[in-house]
Amino acid sequence: MILGVLRALRTPRNCFARLQQARETSSRTSWVRAMTETGEKAVYDLSFEELEEILSRWGEARYRARQIWEWLYSSLVTDFQQMSNLPGVLRARLAETYRFSPLQQVTEIVSNNRWTRKSLFLLPDHQTIETVLMLYKKRRTLCISSQVGCGMGCPFCATGLSGFTRNLSVGEIVAQVIHYARWLAVPAPADERVPIERPTRVTNVVFMGMGEPMANYERVWQAIRILTDRRGFGLGARHITVSTVGIVPGILHMAEEPLQVRLAISLHAAEDELRDTLVPINRRYPLRELMNAVRHYVQRTGRRVTFEYALMRGINDQPRHARALVRLLAGLPAHVNLIPINPVEGAPFQPSTRRETVRFARLLEEADVPVTVRLRRGLDINAGCGQLRRHVLEKLTP
Ligand code: SAH
Ligand code: SF4
C-alpha cells in the first residue's frame, strides 16, 4: 500500500500538485480541521512529566501516562483510538485536546538504488520541512530538521539560501523520527525491493536536515529527551548527533548536558578569512573561539568530535587548506568527514575532483587525523540539505 502511494508520487509533477492541492484545500481537509479545532499542541510535544501532570489534573490514575507513552513510543500508533486499554472517555478527551501528528507527508521520493528515502512534510501553518532516511547494511539513520529554513546564510546550502522562517516545535522534531520508525516497524511486503529486512528500528538520528539545531536549542533537547526516554522510544543518546555551524554558546551548553549525544561541527574551512565567506557566522564566532569551545566540550565529556568539511572545487580543497586543517585539529580527539559538495542551483560551488579529494584525505591521514570520505546519499533525489523543498517551492512560485 505504501509503495503504491509512493509510485504514484514519485514524479516531481505529482509532488508539486500535491503540495499545491494540500495548501489550497487545506481548510477543507479533515487534517487541518483537526489541527485548528483542537488545541495547538501535538501529543508529541509533551514530555512524560507534562503528560503525567495533565492526566492528574484530569483526575486520571498515574499509570495512564505510562500506557499512553507506550502507545506513542513503543507501539507507534497513529491515533488515540488505537490506545485500546484506555477508557473511551479519556481517548476522546485526548483527541479533543491534542492533535496527533503535526506532520502531513506531501511526498516521498526514493533514490534509484532504494537505500535513501526522503519525505517532504507539510506543517500545520503550511510550511514544509524535509526528513531523510538512509539505510545502510547495519544502520538505519534518520537525518532530521530542526527549523523551517535557516538564518545562518551559508552560501553553498539550499536551506541557507531560502532564509529563516521559524523554529520547529518539539512535536514537529519528534514526529519526523516517529514517521520513519513506523515505516521501519512494518513488515515489508513480499515484492518490496528495499535492501534491508523489516520490521526493524531506527538506529541513528542526526540533526543534519534543515536548520541550525543550536539556534533552536531547548526544543531540540526536549525532543532528544523524549526520543531517548527508556520508557518509550529508548534510542541511545550516543546514537544521536547534533551538527552545528559553530554556535559557541550552544556548544558550551551541550558540554553540560548529561545525555551523551554526539557533536559535529560544520567546519568547511580552517582559516578565518575563508571561513568568514563560506560560513558567515564565523564572523561572530571566529575559529579561535570555536575551537576553545570544542576543547572545553572534549574536556568535559571525553567525547570525540566530528568535523564536517564539504570539499568545494578550487575553494577549500588545496593542500594548503588540508595543512591548515591539520594544524587546527592538532591534539584534539577529532574525526573529519570529507563530503563532496552537492551543487545547489544558483550557487557557484562545485564538488572537488576525485583526485583532489583523495589528495586532501591523504594529507590528513599522513598527519594522523582520522578521516572518512562520506559519499553524499541519494544524489538523484536532491538529498542535500533543503534541496527538495527548494525545488518544490521554486516550481510553485510564479
Ligand atoms: N545547520 C547545521 C545542520 C544542518 S546542515 C550545520 O550546518 O551543521 C547539515 C550538513 O550539511 C552541514 O555539515 C552542512 O554544512 C552540510 N551541507 C549544507 N549544504 C550542503 C551542500 N550543498 N553540499 C554538501 N553539504 C552541505
Ligand atoms: Fe544553516 Fe547548516 Fe545550511 Fe549553514 S549549512 S545555512 S547552518 S542549515
Side-chain angles (χ1 to χ4, degrees), residues 221 225 237 253-261 303:
W221 275 85
R225 282 178 213 115
H253 226 95
M254 193 167 153
E256 307 306 319
E257 294 284 352
L259 287 170
Q260 303 208 327
V261 171
R303 266 172 260 148

Side-chain angles (χ1 to χ4, degrees), residues 54 57-60 88-98:
I54 286 146
R57 255 193 282 132
W58 290 357
E60 297 286 345
V89 181
L90 177 55
R91 274 184 265 162
R93 187 159 189 192
L94 283 166
E96 272 162 28
T97 317
Y98 299 102

